[in-house]
Amino acid sequence: MNTITCTQLPALFQAVSLIFNEKKIELCDMDAKVGDGDLGLTMSKGFSALPALLQANRQDDDVGKTLMKAALKMSSVVPSTMGTLMSSGIMEGGKTLKGAKEIDATGLSAYLTGFAVGIRNRGKCERGNRTILDAVGAAADKAAELLANNPAANLTDIINAAVLGADEGVEATKNMTPVFGKSAVFAAKAIGTPDQGAVAGRYMLIGMQNYICRYFP
Amino acid sequence: MNTITCTQLPALFQAVSLIFNEKKIELCDMDAKVGDGDLGLTMSKGFSALPALLQANRQDDDVGKTLMKAALKMSSVVPSTMGTLMSSGIMEGGKTLKGAKEIDATGLSAYLTGFAVGIRNRGKCERGNRTILDAVGAAADKAAELLANNPAANLTDIINAAVLGADEGVEATKNMTPVFGKSAVFAAKAIGTPDQGAVAGRYMLIGMQNYICRYFP
Amino acid sequence: MKKVINNPQDYTDDMLRGIYAAHANQVKYVESDLRCYCVANKKPGKVAIVTGGGTGHLPLFLGYVGENMLDGCGVGGVFQSPSAEQIYNISKEVEDGSGVLYLYGNYTGDIMNFDMAVEMCEMDDIQTRSIVGADDVNSHHDLKLRRGVAGIYFMYKCAGAKAAQNGTLDEVLTSAQKAKDNTRTVGFALTPCIIPEIGHSNFTLADDEMAMGMGIHGEPGIWNGPIKTADKIAEESLKTLLDDMPVASGEEVCILINGLGATSLEELYILSGSVSKILEIKGIKIYRTFVGEYATSMEMAGASISICKMADDEMKQQIDMPVCTPFYCQK
Amino acid sequence: MKKVINNPQDYTDDMLRGIYAAHANQVKYVESDLRCYCVANKKPGKVAIVTGGGTGHLPLFLGYVGENMLDGCGVGGVFQSPSAEQIYNISKEVEDGSGVLYLYGNYTGDIMNFDMAVEMCEMDDIQTRSIVGADDVNSHHDLKLRRGVAGIYFMYKCAGAKAAQNGTLDEVLTSAQKAKDNTRTVGFALTPCIIPEIGHSNFTLADDEMAMGMGIHGEPGIWNGPIKTADKIAEESLKTLLDDMPVASGEEVCILINGLGATSLEELYILSGSVSKILEIKGIKIYRTFVGEYATSMEMAGASISICKMADDEMKQQIDMPVCTPFYCQK
Ligand SMILES: Nc1ncnc2c1ncn2[C@@H]1O[C@H](COP(=O)(O)OP(=O)(O)O)[C@@H](O)[C@H]1O
Ligand SMILES: Nc1ncnc2c1ncn2[C@@H]1O[C@H](COP(=O)(O)OP(=O)(O)O)[C@@H](O)[C@H]1O
Ligand SMILES: [Mg+2]
Ligand SMILES: [Mg+2]
Ligand SMILES: [Mg+2]
Ligand SMILES: [Mg+2]
C-alpha cells in the first residue's frame, strides 16, 4: 500500500542522513561564511543518529508518537540552533500524526505543515526572516496546495511538490536580510547567497524524496 | 681644617650622585646582562635624593646621626637590593660616627669599615660571594691598613687608598660566581665580567674621592 | 594553541571531571551525565533556579550554582547550548514543588533548548518561568535583541536572594526582571581566544588594537582601533552605558569590572579606579564594586563594565546577601 | 604591550587607588602612603601578620589582608620590594601589643627591607618574628635558597587562623613554619608577561613551547620544550613534588592549582582533574582542593601545582577556617 509505516521510518530518515553526509562540507563552508561553520557537522550528526533513535523509541505502531519521542532524543545529540529546530519540526510534525499507524499522502502533507509550525514556534520566526522556515514553509504550502487541488495525489506527488516549494523558498532567501543567530551579525555578507539553514531544510526534503520515489514510485 | 662637617655632607654626596648620573647607562647595561637592568636607575635615583635628605634630616651637628637618618630615608626612595644595601652601608657607617661633629681621616676609615659591615649584615654575604662587598670591603681594608701604617694620613690619602682597594676588589669579582639575587640565575654568564654591584660600590667611592680631592687636596 | 589540556574533544568533560573531583561536597551531576550540574544539597521547598549555556565562560555559568544563588546548570560544549533534555533532567532534580526559574543568556540556541525544556516540564506539571540576560548595550539597539554578558551576575544575585528567602516563583522572576531592567554592560576585547576543537582564533587584532563592543564569542564590535588608556575606555564606556540607561546624580549603582580571561586583576582595578573617578564627578554613588573574572571567554584579553542601578532597598539587600558556591563566595 | 592602563609609571598607584575606592570599608592606607596597605578594622590584641612584595602578582600579596588572614601589606613597585619604612609604618599601625609576624617570599630585596623594618621595630620595642615562603622546588635544590611562590597561601591560611584564635607570636610563627615545612610547589609558564614601565617581555617561548620550573618573574626553569598535555604535566609535576617531599598512601594533602594570569579556569580544572586522578591512584587522599588565581604574574600564561601535606588536625582546622578579604572569601 502507498503509506509509510512505523517499520519504515528508520529507512526514511536513513535516506536523509545519506544526503547530509554528502553535503556536509558544502553546508559547513556556507555556514562558515556567515556564522560558526558547524552546520554540516550538526546536520549529519543529528540525522545519522535518528534512524537508530526511531528504532529504539518505537511507540507501539504509532508513527506520530515514535517521531515525537525520537526527535526529542535527537535534539540532545545536536543541541545547536539548527539541530534543535530540526528536532522541533519533527516533533510538531509527529504531533499531527499522533495515533496514526501509517503516513499517507494527507498525513505527509499534514506532517510537513506541522514541521513548519514546529520551526516557527521554536524559532519565534516568520517567513521572510531568512531562515529554514522560508524553505520548509514554502514546501508545506506547495504540498497542501497540491492536495487541495488533487485529493488523489500520492506520497510521491506530495514530496515532489514539497521539494519544488523548497527550491523556490531557498531561492527567495537570497534577497532576505538575516535577523537571527550568528548570521545576523554578518547581515551584509549574506545578501546574494541563499540562507544555509534553508538549504539544509531543502536537503532534508530531498532525502525524504529519494526514499519515497524509490519505494512508492 | 681637614675634616668634613655636617654642612658639607650634602656636597660630598652630590659628588657621588654626579658620577652615578654619568654612569647610569653603563650600570643598567651591565645589570641587564645578568639581572633586571635597573641598577643604574636606582643608584642615580637614590644618590640624587640623598643630598636633600641630608639637608632636611640634619641632626644638630652630629654627622653620624645625620648620615643614619638620611640613609634610612634614602632606602625608601630606592628599596631595590642595591638601594637597600647602599642605605644600610651608610647607616652602619654613620653609626661609627655617632656623636662626632666632623669626619677626619680616622673617622673616614671607620666609616668605610662600618659601611662594609652594614653591607655584610644586610646582605648576609661574605667576601668572595661576588657582591658590592668585595669592592667596599677591600676598600675599607686598604684604608685601614694605610691609617695603621701612617697615622698622619689625611682624608685624601684615605679615600685614595679606598679607591685603590675598590679597584682590586672589582677586578677580583671577575672570577667569582654569583650566589645572590637575580644574577645567581645567570651565574655562567657572569664569569669574566666584574660584578655590577661591586662596580657601583667603586663609583660611589670615586664620587667621594672627587669631592675630597677637590676640597682637601 | 597554547592550552593546558588533553584531547581537545574532551575539553568540556575533562573540565567537569576536575570540578566534580574538587568540589564533591558542594555539587553533583544527575542521570550519569556530567553536563547535568546540580547543587549537592538543595534547600527544600524553595523555588529552583536553573541556568545554562556553553562552556568557555567560567565562572559563568555553573560557577554560580550554590548557596543562595542557583540550583542547577545545563553545561553545553564550548560556546554551545546544553540540550533540552539535560535542562529538563536538572529541573526534575532540583525542583521541589515551588517551580523553576530558567535564567540564562539571550542566545538563539539556548532559548530554543530552554523553551523545549519548558514544554517537557509542562508535561510533568512542573511550573516554569523564563528570563534571559540581555545586558550588552553595544550588541543591538533593540533591548530584546541584545546578548547577555556579565551583567547576568546581578540577575543571579537578586533572583537567588529572593528564592533563598522563600519568594514565590513569580516573585523570584520579578527580582530577576528588576535586576535586568537596571543593568547594562559594555565590553571590549584586546586579544581573541581559541576554541580547543578548532585550534585557531576566529579573529585577529593588531598588536596595538582593541575592539570596542566585541561579544564574548568574538562577535564584531562597534569599532576596532588603537588601544586607549583605561581612563578613556572608562569614559567612552560610561557614556554608552549612561546614554542607554540614565542615572541621575545622587542615585546609587553597583559596578562590576569583569575580566575576559587574560587581563590581569591589576588592570581591572586600574579600570575600576577610572570608572569610580568619573562616577564621583557625576555625583553617582557607588553602592558596591565588584572586580574580577565573572564571565570570561577562556583566554581572551579584555574586560567589561556593568552598571546595575539600585532600584530600591530590597535590591540592595539582595546584592548584599552572602552567597557561597565553589567558585564564588561573598560575605 | 596590550594593557588596560594609563601612564605606565602610575601602574602601581592607579591600581591601589582602584582597590581603595572599591573596598573602602575593608582596607585603608596609613601615613598618606598608598603603599602602606592595612586592614580597616583589626581584631584587637591579636598577633599582627604583615606581608609584602612587588606588585604584579594579585591577589598576592595584599589580597590576603582581611578577616582571619593578614593585617597589612607593604606594596612595592612592579616586581620590587616595598621599603623598610613602609613595612615599619604598617607594623606600627596594625601591631597591638602582641607582636608582628613578617611573612613574605624568599627574595633578596624583600628580605633586606623586612630585616631593616625589624630593626626599626626593635627601637620601638615592637616584637617581631620573620619567616619566608620558599616553596618552589625547581628554583633550587637547597630548601633555604628556594623562592616563594603560590604555596605561601597555606602559610597565610595557617598563620592567619592561629592569630585569629589569639595564638601567641611564637605559636603563630610555628603554624606558619609547619605549613612551610609541608608545602611544595612546581610551576610552568606558557607565555611571558610585560612590566608596564619596560613595555616588552623579558623572555620569549615559541608558539608550541612551555617552560617547566620558570619563576614568576620569568626566572629560567629546568627545561623549555614542546607543550605537554595536562595529564603529562601533572605527572611530571607530581613526581618532582613527591620526590622532594614524600607523601605516603593514606596520608592527606591539600592541592592548590594556581593560574599565573592568562590561563583560563577551564584549563586549571582540567589540570586539577589530572592531578587528582594521579593522587587517587597513589592512594593519597585529597583533603581540600583550591583552584583559581592565587599568585599570578600579570598576564603570564601558565600554572603552578602546590601540595600541602596535612600534618595534623590543627592544620586541617586552620585550612578550614573561614576567611574574608576583598579578594578572597572562604566559608
Ligand atoms: N530564530 C530562528 N528561527 C528559525 N531559524 C533560525 C533561527 N535562528 C537561526 N535559524 C536558522 O539556523 C541557521 C543557522 O544554524 P546553526 O549553524 O545551527 O546556528 P548557529 O548560528 O547557532 O551556529 C540559519 O541559517 C537559519 O536558517
Ligand atoms: N645578599 C647580597 N649581599 C650583598 N650584595 C648583594 C646581595 N644580593 C645582591 N647583591 C648585590 O646587588 C647587585 C644587584 O643589585 P640590584 O640590581 O639592585 O639587585 P636586583 O635587581 O637583583 O634585586 C649584585 O650585583 C650584587 O653586587
Ligand atoms: Mg552555525
Ligand atoms: Mg637589578
Ligand atoms: Mg584568567
Ligand atoms: Mg587572569
Side-chain angles (χ1 to χ4, degrees), chain A residues 31 36 38 80-82 85 123 125 131-132 180 182 195-197:
Chain A
D31 190 36
D36 56 0
D38 61 351
S80 72
T81 303
M82 274 290 286
L85 285 169
C125 57
T131 69
I132 178 180
F180 292 117
K182 299 189 181 73
D195 173 60
Q196 69 273 24

Side-chain angles (χ1 to χ4, degrees), chain C residues 261-262 293, chain D residues 261-264 293:
Chain C
E293 291 183 351
Chain D
T263 290
S264 69
E293 290 183 352

Side-chain angles (χ1 to χ4, degrees), chain C residues 1 14 18 28 41 62-63 66 101 110 135 159 207 257-258 262-263 271 274:
Chain C
M1 173 176 55
D14 276 357
K28 64 174 182 189
N41 306 300
L62 61 82
L101 178 69
D110 296 307
D135 50 314
D207 246 12
I257 311 295
N258 169 59
T263 290
L271 184 60
S274 302

